[in-house]
Amino acid sequence: MGKLRFLIALIVGKVSIFLLDKIFKRGTNLPGEIMLKICPDALSRFTMPKTTVCVTGTNGKTGTSNLLTHIIRNSGKTVVNNSKGSNMAPGLVTALASDCTLGGKVNSDVAVLEVDERSSQFIYTKFVPDYILCTNLFRDSIMRNGHSGFIFDKINDYLDEKTTLVLNGNDGISGLLGENKCNRVFFSVDKTERSTDVCEDTVCDLIACPKCNHKLDYEFYHYNHIGVPKCNYCGFSMPQSTYFASDVDFENGTFVFDGDKGESLVLPYQKGNFFNVFNITGACAICRLMGIDIDIIEDGETFQENAHIKARAVFEATGLPTIADDSGLEIDFLNGAPGIYSARYAGEGATDKERCQKVLDEMHGVDRSLRDARFVCSIYFIFSEDEGYNVNGTVEGYIGDEMV
């Protein structure tokens, strides 16, 4: 009977999604609400993709889940997420129903689902996420979430030991989730030029040690209770982080992401929004755990397409007007090669000298009349979500006989 109810609910949900999309041209929770009326356990009846990531926390979960979705899609994987609906059970049901077979099998490779903190018991008991990323926990509206300890319990009580938690190592509240139960991985932001020795905010949500209740000290504060807490009485401190953000440049809106592979990547963030550094670092940590390269993947077939891909990736990550370019060498005798593969023409990690030598080797003995070539550059500027401009330029020349 349960399977039949779910099938009926799924058919009704899919029809509702189709009609509402045609009528309103936007997402809505209504299909999920209808499905849950017909089949209250619908969320537990989906066959989830190989990897499911849930993003929760008081602040930053929407931006983080959207960024994470973009990075994973850019890696070539398909992703279902609930960006067009709510972050509660009806929104998740709607998103999954829009991307599954009539048997309930989700088609996408990955599910990235934003989850409201209060909804933990209605979601994590229905399926087990592979990863849960918690951005932070703060006190919220008294009428909604009350004290941060209340919402901590709402999440912690419904965690499954099979889930890997990705936690903010600068947050002494959310950083205690899943202790002695789940595999936990931490990310944090190093001290910046704007970090302080005392909390300069009106409210600090963590002033007593969560272990012994004595007064908690901090090596430094980023804001509120986000910093590096330590207890001089019992020795409490946060676990070592695996992923870091360092060298935050407030003037230029960049920071350095340091991962577990020893790499350092300079990444942009929305200037004036320091919280964004935490969100990006958390999203990058998830990608690293999934084995996904967080570099921008240039998979276009032209310089113009690659310039657009890079500009779009940075624009979506920062929300700022973005200029990006793609360029390379086109040689007529080589049918336009190396073209968009100029940087990798002699193999990954090759030097400029090695790339030049490969071209000279392939052009060895070719008559001057057949050595015409040009340097091509395409620049893409994205000003807003709906406004972008592309400019292309070339410098004509020919391939010489030796390096100079």
Side-chain angles (χ1 to χ4, degrees), residues 27-29 82-87 91:
T28 172
N29 299 323
N82 56 328
S83 61
K84 293 184 178 179
S86 80
N87 53 18

Side-chain angles (χ1 to χ4, degrees), residues 190-332:
D190 288 349
K191 189 174 184 178
T192 75
E193 62 186 52
R194 297 185 183 179
S195 300
T196 58
D197 294 329
V198 296
C199 182
E200 297 186 348
D201 294 286
T202 303
V203 174
C204 180
D205 285 334
L206 187 64
I207 59 176
C209 175
K211 299 298 183 182
C212 70
N213 291 322
H214 283 78
K215 184 179 182 299
L216 195 63
D217 291 303
Y218 282 77
E219 291 184 17
F220 63 84
Y221 294 85
H222 285 306
Y223 63 92
N224 198 295
H225 68 281
I226 305 298
V228 178
K230 62 178 181 178
C231 180
N232 292 325
Y233 186 84
C234 72
F236 164 78
S237 63
M238 295 297 294
Q240 179 69 33
S241 290
T242 304
Y243 302 95
F244 298 90
S246 61
D247 300 316
V248 178
D249 186 335
F250 292 98
E251 182 177 351
N252 294 307
T254 63
F255 70 95
V256 175
F257 173 77
D258 297 300
D260 57 336
K261 298 180 180 178
E263 83 281 38
S264 293
L265 299 172
V266 179
L267 300 175
Y269 75 96
Q270 187 175 8
K271 250 194 330 186
N273 184 2
F274 178 55
F275 316 107
N276 198 229
V277 176
F278 287 91
N279 300 340
I280 295 172
T281 304
C284 289
I286 287 282
C287 289
R288 277 290 182 250
L289 290 170
M290 292 176 61
I292 293 174
D293 193 344
I294 60 176
D295 289 338
I296 298 170
I297 298 174
E298 303 169 40
D299 55 359
E301 296 182 357
T302 65
F303 294 114
Q304 293 93 326
E305 289 180 5
N306 282 334
H308 187 194
I309 288 169
K310 289 188 277 189
R312 173 58 60 179
V314 175
F315 176 79
E316 291 188 1
T318 66
L320 299 172
T322 303
I323 297 176
D325 79 285
D326 195 50
S327 58
L329 180 67
E330 290 183 345
I331 304 172
D332 291 344

Side-chain angles (χ1 to χ4, degrees), residues 49 100 115 122 176 188 251 293 295 305 372 388 396:
C100 74
V115 175
F122 306 112
L176 299 182
S188 59
E251 182 177 351
D293 193 344
D295 289 338
E305 289 180 5
D372 288 348
E396 298 289 337

Side-chain angles (χ1 to χ4, degrees), residues 327-345:
S327 58
L329 180 67
E330 290 183 345
I331 304 172
D332 291 344
F333 183 78
L334 300 179
N335 297 316
I340 60 172
Y341 305 106
S342 295
R344 304 184 294 277
Y345 195 54

Side-chain angles (χ1 to χ4, degrees), residues 82 122 124 127 132 149 168 183 245 250 271 323 339 345 352 378:
N82 56 328
F122 306 112
Y124 302 144
F127 64 87
I132 295 178
N168 186 341
N183 177 41
F250 292 98
K271 250 194 330 186
I323 297 176
Y345 195 54
D352 288 341
S378 180

Side-chain angles (χ1 to χ4, degrees), residues 1-11 38-39 45 102:
M1 186 64 179
K3 289 183 178 180
L4 180 60
R5 289 171 68 92
F6 179 63
L7 177 60
I8 295 171
L10 194 52
I11 293 172
I38 299 172
C39 182
R45 292 188 173 274
L102 286 178

Side-chain angles (χ1 to χ4, degrees), residues 134-152:
C134 185
T135 56
N136 51 59
L137 288 178
F138 293 90
R139 68 180 69 193
D140 205 339
S141 164
I142 294 297
M143 297 298 293
R144 184 173 185 274
N145 285 344
H147 195 271
S148 54
F150 168 77
I151 204 63
F152 174 92

